[in-house]
Amino acid sequence: MNDCREGEEIITEVIKCLNNQEDCEKLRLTSQIWQKMEARRQAQEQQIKDDIKELLALKEERERSIVDEESNAEYQKEKAGIELEIKQVSMQKSAAEQGLKSVQEAVQKKREEKENLVLHKEKVTEETTEVLPKTRYIISLYKNISKICWEYDCEPEEIKGYVSTAKDVRPFFLDARQNSSFFITNYLWDLIESAS
């Protein structure tokens, strides 16, 4: 409530001042003086800012010249160091690229090996599911017809086994280096015939 009363009193006094011509003139003059002072203050502030900018520019220029004089040798050292680092990084990059190329070649080689193994697996699967049973059947058929039982745990040049019938078992052992295939064939047929 007090604030409202104070506000009313201030408004009443302003109205009285504005009604009084002399006070209005003083207020106008005060306002003009205030505006001139504000304009002068702003001009001085701008001048101070400009002076500060000039001083900062001079300071920076002086610092650059001092830094240029003092750090030219340091700059050359830094430049040489940076060039050395660039050279080392370039060498590392080349080594990494070569390593990457080697790894990519190895990966490609492994892919090709994998493809070959898949093909080989398919071939082996086909042989074990189709060819092997057929081969077993043919061997069994030959065994039943000829009555020859082969021994497979011998040297490649050796031919071992036996001919068996219900009455007789006749073993054989032949050396392929000493006997011709014609002799071996005839010998086995004779053995089969005599065992019957």
Side-chain angles (χ1 to χ4, degrees):
M1 283 291 228
N2 279 339
D3 290 339
C4 289
R5 285 188 193 152
E6 284 180 24
E8 287 176 12
E9 290 174 6
I10 291 172
I11 291 173
T12 307
E13 282 187 38
V14 169
I15 292 173
K16 285 180 187 177
C17 287
L18 291 176
N19 286 337
N20 187 351
Q21 198 64 347
E22 191 178 304
D23 288 338
C24 282
E25 190 61 35
K26 285 181 184 177
L27 191 57
R28 207 174 292 127
L29 284 173
T30 305
S31 173
Q32 287 175 358
I33 292 171
W34 177 256
Q35 287 175 356
K36 287 179 185 176
M37 285 176 51
E38 182 63 25
R40 190 177 291 159
R41 187 194 63 77
Q42 287 179 355
Q44 286 176 347
E45 187 178 301
Q46 187 61 41
Q47 182 64 39
I48 290 171
K49 285 181 182 178
D50 292 342
D51 290 345
I52 289 173
K53 284 181 184 177
E54 281 183 36
L55 288 172
L56 286 173
L58 286 172
K59 178 186 172 218
E60 287 176 9
E61 187 179 322
R62 180 68 181 139
E63 284 177 350
R64 273 191 229 121
S65 66
I66 290 172
V67 167
D68 287 345
E69 292 169 3
E70 291 177 351
S71 68
N72 195 16
E74 290 177 25
Y75 171 76
Q76 293 300 327
K77 285 181 184 178
E78 273 187 53
K79 183 179 175 184
I82 291 172
E83 287 174 353
L84 180 64
E85 285 181 32
I86 289 172
K87 187 175 181 181
Q88 289 173 346
V89 168
S90 177
M91 289 170 54
Q92 289 173 350
K93 178 186 172 196
S94 297
E97 287 174 347
Q98 289 176 349
L100 176 63
K101 186 177 180 183
S102 298
V103 168
Q104 287 174 336
E105 289 173 357
V107 166
Q108 182 62 30
K109 198 175 199 180
K110 292 296 180 186
R111 283 184 184 148
E112 290 171 2
E113 286 177 11
K114 180 182 175 187
E115 290 173 7
N116 290 338
L117 287 174
V118 167
L119 291 174
H120 182 69
K121 178 183 175 187
E122 290 173 0
K123 184 178 177 183
V124 167
T125 303
E126 179 184 337
E127 287 177 359
T128 56
T129 57
E130 293 177 14
V131 176
L132 191 60
K134 287 179 184 178
T135 305
R136 285 183 182 158
Y137 173 75
I138 291 171
I139 290 174
S140 173
L141 185 63
Y142 287 153
K143 180 181 176 187
N144 288 334
I145 292 171
S146 67
K147 307 291 186 201
I148 295 177
C149 292
W150 302 99
E151 287 187 27
Y152 298 104
D153 59 341
C154 59
E155 296 295 321
E157 299 84 23
E158 296 176 349
I159 301 170
K160 286 172 94 177
Y162 57 91
V163 176
S164 69
T165 61
K167 300 176 190 175
D168 194 14
V169 174
R170 295 193 180 187
F172 60 87
F173 175 79
L174 300 167
D175 191 345
R177 292 174 290 199
Q178 295 175 355
N179 300 307
S180 69
S181 62
F182 180 76
F183 173 79
I184 295 171
T185 304
N186 285 333
Y187 178 80
L188 290 175
W189 279 115
D190 290 341
L191 194 61
I192 292 169
E193 189 176 326
S194 67
S196 318

